[in-house]
Amino acid sequence: MLRPIGTLHPPLYIPEGTILVGGAVRDLLLGRRPLDLDLLAKDPERSAQEAALHLSGQAFPLDEERRLYRVVARGLTLDFAPLEDLEKDLLSRDFRLNALALVGNLVLGPLGAAEDLRKRRLEPVREENLYQDPLRSLRGVRLAVTLSLGLGPNARGMLLKHAQHLQAHPEAHPAPERVQAELEKILLSSRAAYGFWLLKRLGLLQVYLPELAETQGVKQLGRHFLGVFDHSLSVLFHLLWLYPRAPLALRLAALFHDLGKALTQTWDAAQARYRFPGHEREGARLAETLLVRLRFPKKVVERTKALILAHMHPFPPTPRAKQRFFLKHQDLLPDLLYLQAADRLARQKGEAEAWALQGLIQEFHAKPPPRKPLLSGEEVMALLGLPPGPAVGRALRQLLLAQAEGRVKDKEEAMDFLRGL
């Protein structure tokens, strides 16, 4: 049975004769402005056309047989569906805060929804509803992370039980594209590290990211005071502290940079510590497999893989080494330096190295390396009398380094430099 939650005067257009339902009502009550609106109407097509006219947008059918229509206008997406049984519709949803309806100015919801709103928490409408769509437990974590909501006392047990069901029934897993969309939203949140910790606590990490789950319990010792999994979350946390607008591939690299340690761990008895030879190569391979399986875009996969492969590059100790570093990795900068700095902050006594890496970021921005040599390959061959081949490439790389170091400033100096090689 639906109950009154309160009243609401939405600061956006709601077509007359329609009922706003779902997450948009939740967002308005939480003080957020929704961009995707789900509306129920007795005549969805007519309501969609009226909304399109009012908003100067475009209406089009999503499924004419089921009478589903969409309007896109002014950055909003309005989806219209038939109004049949409002209570049945709401009680079939996943969480009580998603089972809300705005009828006029009155908000209606199931028993307990008002308390959920007051305590800013998620609780399932009914446990069996989670099994109607296998994605719902993952979506619950995403909502908790992105909306800063807690999980109620019943939600944790129900989500954990649902995760156990998914572990036992791989055939019930949702489509990879849907999983990818939810994980991406978690990663792009400012609370991303907490989101993956919560996935672990609820048993969902093993379901969706088994390669990352394998790093649990893998010890490191030495300067690492955390095991591999907790260290990875710490790196992600520190990355977002250093670089709140970090792009998706960099966040993925922070989370997966040590993915290969579970497979490369060896014991160094002389040093009384574990070592992980080649873990960056193994980690890049595992990350690629995982990201391709989840249908992440190829560009994101390749950049994540490249960052993981390069994250162990030692700090350049001299000005010449810095320029070589900048030239070699310029397509990954400054992201690679942010990753390395966050990695240092997640270790013991790593602050000095992290701040030194921050200094390198400033140097890179102040004086980025040249993108191309002052002379072309044809000019080099003509100048030195070389045939096409590796020697031309080596000469061009030497010239590019000399330009970066400031030893060559124009084409005349470039020719003199090459003659002296």
Side-chain angles (χ1 to χ4, degrees), residues 166-343:
L166 292 175
Q167 288 178 26
H169 298 279
E171 72 282 358
H173 290 189
E177 294 84 357
R178 300 181 70 207
V179 174
Q180 183 270 329
E182 297 295 332
L183 292 176
E184 182 171 328
K185 289 173 184 176
I186 294 173
L187 268 166
L188 292 177
S189 164
S190 61
R191 302 189 337 140
Y194 166 71
F196 287 91
W197 175 85
L198 192 55
L199 287 175
K200 183 199 80 166
R201 284 291 302 272
L202 295 173
L204 290 167
L205 198 68
Q206 183 62 46
V207 175
Y208 297 116
L209 300 170
E211 294 90 345
L212 184 59
E214 287 296 316
T215 65
Q216 297 177 77
V218 178
K219 297 179 180 180
Q220 302 192 86
L221 305 181
R223 292 179 59 190
H224 287 282
F225 60 95
L226 296 171
V228 173
F229 177 76
D230 291 332
H231 168 76
S232 299
L233 295 192
S234 181
V235 172
L236 179 58
F237 173 86
H238 283 98
L239 171 69
L240 300 186
W241 179 66
L242 292 170
Y243 189 8
R245 298 180 65 182
L248 177 61
L250 178 54
R251 295 172 188 235
L252 285 165
L255 185 63
F256 296 148
H257 75 286
D258 280 347
L259 212 56
K261 285 188 172 180
L263 298 179
T264 59
Q265 185 188 55
T266 60
W267 176 249
D268 184 340
Q271 298 292 325
R273 56 169 292 186
Y274 292 104
R275 295 193 180 277
F276 306 90
H279 78 272
E280 67 275 17
R281 293 187 298 276
E282 190 65 25
R285 182 189 66 80
L286 289 170
E288 181 180 30
T289 300
L290 184 160
L291 295 174
V292 168
R293 183 178 72 241
L294 292 176
R295 310 291 195 271
F296 275 85
K298 183 177 179 180
K299 187 175 180 180
V300 171
V301 175
E302 292 302 317
R303 187 165 182 84
T304 302
K305 181 181 174 183
L307 286 166
I308 294 173
L309 280 169
H311 85 273
M312 290 296 291
H313 194 289
F315 185 90
T318 65
R320 186 176 176 87
K322 287 179 185 178
Q323 294 305 323
R324 285 179 174 171
F325 179 88
F326 289 160
L327 280 173
K328 181 177 181 180
H329 298 296
Q330 60 181 311
D331 290 338
L332 295 177
L333 298 179
D335 290 3
L336 176 59
L337 292 170
Y338 277 115
L339 174 59
Q340 291 181 317
D343 194 12

Side-chain angles (χ1 to χ4, degrees), residues 9 58 65 159 287 290 294 306 347 377 387 399 406 413 418:
H9 300 274
Q58 182 180 6
E65 185 176 344
L159 293 179
L290 184 160
L294 292 176
R347 306 177 189 175
L399 175 57
E413 290 184 357
L418 288 178

